[in-house]
Amino acid sequence: MIEIILVSQNSCFPCKALKMMLEDKKEEFESNNLKLSYLNLDELEDKEEFTDKHQIMATPHILFKKDEDYIGRLLGKQNVEQILEAGINLK
């Protein structure tokens, strides 16, 4: 299963909008064996370490994870169809 992680921050309004759009299509993601997850950088104790490791310079940022490996990313605000298609193509 591919996990799609929306990386966001409290001050990121596009992140909030994207999260709502993803939640509206959650069943479509699940039917394609894709898991949606959300990570708020403001809630991480090791924010700097995480952003350095994953080269996150801005939000929203989408990470794709399979098992324990990060296998892809999308930068900036994407539409839901682009995120779904990217997740399907990575399977």
Side-chain angles (χ1 to χ4, degrees), residues 38-55:
Y38 306 99
L39 176 67
N40 185 332
L41 292 176
D42 295 325
E43 296 174 1
L44 288 181
E45 288 184 20
D46 59 349
K47 176 181 177 177
E48 189 173 324
E49 180 182 331
F50 184 86
T51 56
D52 287 348
K53 179 179 179 181
H54 298 287
Q55 302 173 345

Side-chain angles (χ1 to χ4, degrees), residues 7-62:
V7 181
S8 65
Q9 294 177 282
N10 292 335
S11 61
C12 176
F13 293 105
C15 298
K16 293 174 185 178
L18 182 55
K19 182 178 180 179
M20 288 187 336
M21 290 186 285
L22 288 170
E23 281 297 309
D24 287 344
K25 299 283 187 169
K26 187 174 185 172
E27 289 179 14
E28 191 172 348
F29 281 85
E30 289 173 350
S31 70
N32 283 286
N33 207 28
L34 300 168
K35 177 184 175 186
L36 291 174
S37 298
Y38 306 99
L39 176 67
N40 185 332
L41 292 176
D42 295 325
E43 296 174 1
L44 288 181
E45 288 184 20
D46 59 349
K47 176 181 177 177
E48 189 173 324
E49 180 182 331
F50 184 86
T51 56
D52 287 348
K53 179 179 179 181
H54 298 287
Q55 302 173 345
I56 297 172
M57 302 212 179
T59 56
H61 197 105
I62 307 287

